[in-house]
Amino acid sequence: MISFDKQTSKELEFQEIREFLSSYCKSEKGKQNALKISCFSDFNSLKRELEILKEVKSIQEIGKEKLPHQRFSDINSALKVLRVENGVLIIDELLKVCLLYTSPSP
């Protein structure tokens, strides 16, 4: 079991690392998520996340997708509308969602 108490977090300046990471996020949701990052509670969780990171890195290296996504935009407002029964997106929100799921031109 990995032990990571408040004092260790303070000594490692974990909050400063979260703030630094959040400054690179393009969306407000990404910034919020970066500020909520916590330490792994066990080694197996850390290993799983490392495997995911390796997979993302390999996808980027073979050129399937560039990170950050070039056409990324925050679609939180569109998602909120879609959660409401009979919600209708305005054209700008619809285009944001559409651009995230269409393949880029060669």
Side-chain angles (χ1 to χ4, degrees):
M1 189 68 136
I2 298 173
S3 175
F4 201 83
D5 59 19
K6 288 183 180 181
Q7 182 60 33
T8 304
S9 177
K10 186 176 180 179
E11 289 173 5
L12 293 174
E13 298 182 351
F14 199 65
Q15 180 59 31
E16 287 80 1
I17 293 169
R18 285 188 287 238
E19 290 170 6
F20 179 76
L21 176 62
S22 75
S23 73
Y24 283 91
C25 296
K26 293 191 176 239
S27 72
E28 194 57 40
K29 181 77 167 176
K31 290 177 185 184
Q32 292 170 5
N33 287 340
L35 293 171
K36 291 179 186 176
I37 291 174
S38 61
C39 294
F40 294 99
S41 60
D42 63 88
F43 187 68
N44 287 330
S45 297
L46 175 62
K47 281 176 48 175
R48 275 192 306 273
E49 291 298 318
L50 183 57
E51 289 303 315
I52 292 170
L53 183 58
K54 286 179 183 178
E55 185 176 345
V56 168
K57 183 180 177 206
S58 70
I59 290 170
Q60 186 175 15
E61 286 175 347
I62 61 175
K64 283 188 176 179
E65 190 60 63
K66 300 286 184 207
L67 298 175
H69 193 286
Q70 295 170 342
R71 295 173 297 164
F72 175 82
S73 62
D74 191 351
I75 62 167
N76 277 339
S77 61
L79 294 175
K80 286 179 185 176
V81 170
L82 293 174
R83 287 186 189 110
V84 175
E85 188 175 343
N86 298 322
V88 177
L89 296 178
I90 61 172
I91 191 70
D92 289 342
E93 292 171 332
L94 183 60
L95 288 173
K96 285 180 183 179
V97 173
C98 183
L99 285 174
L100 286 176
Y101 294 101
T102 57
S103 58
S105 303

